[in-house]
Amino acid sequence: MLTVANASTFGSNVIINPDGELDDGQFEICLIEPFPSSAAPGLLYRLYTNGFDASDYTRRLCCRRARISVPGQTQVLVQVDGEPHHVATPVEVEINPSSLQVLVPVNPPKHLSSYAAGVLGLSAATWGVTTGLEGRAECS
């Protein structure tokens, strides 16, 4: 599985990108490499306890731009904010720092401002590719 993430979590609070910062001008490519079924419980535990980097089957690359290809495939199935799409390969991803503009009340209630930040971080920042195939990602 390959995930392009700017935020630290996605889905049901899976911590796929422990050091993810929404405003640092870069995103991370988070890879989970093929693993034996006996490693699944430990990997799953790490994804929910901020231990992504502690697994032998995971790694992350910091990028501003990336070109992701899957040899022999002209299309891959991706999920954009949870919605499946078929897209042509290679997939090119680039971050546009400080480009999201959000209108908020001048004095939002404290509980709403932290909730909105979490929702915006998840919906605006996470894009995943699941192929089950060998692939290549080039970062700059």
Side-chain angles (χ1 to χ4, degrees):
M1 181 176 92
L2 180 147
T3 299
V4 176
N6 194 10
S8 59
T9 62
F10 74 89
S12 58
N13 292 321
V14 170
I15 305 169
I16 194 76
N17 186 20
D19 301 323
E21 295 287 335
L22 295 175
D23 60 357
D24 64 357
Q26 63 185 12
F27 59 86
E28 286 72 33
I29 293 181
C30 308
L31 299 162
I32 300 178
E33 298 177 0
F35 55 89
S37 58
S38 62
L43 184 57
L44 187 60
Y45 175 78
R46 285 184 175 96
L47 289 173
Y48 281 95
T49 59
N50 205 22
F52 183 88
D53 295 327
S55 173
D56 292 337
Y57 305 103
T58 60
R59 58 190 168 112
R60 290 183 298 137
L61 307 167
C62 295
C63 310
R64 294 184 193 283
R65 271 189 308 270
R67 181 180 172 100
I68 304 162
S69 60
V70 180
Q73 299 293 310
T74 58
Q75 287 193 337
V76 291
L77 178 62
V78 302
Q79 287 189 21
V80 179
D81 200 20
E83 298 296 324
H85 300 276
H86 283 91
V87 297
T89 62
V91 176
E92 296 192 12
V93 182
E94 184 172 353
I95 195 160
N96 294 314
S98 303
S99 63
L100 179 62
Q101 297 181 1
V102 179
L103 296 175
V104 295
V106 175
N107 295 310
K110 194 172 205 166
H111 72 281
L112 283 181
S113 60
S114 63
Y115 173 78
V119 170
L120 286 172
L122 291 175
S123 64
T126 304
W127 175 81
V129 177
T130 306
T131 64
L133 302 170
E134 295 285 324
R136 177 183 171 102
E138 300 169 9
C139 279
S140 59

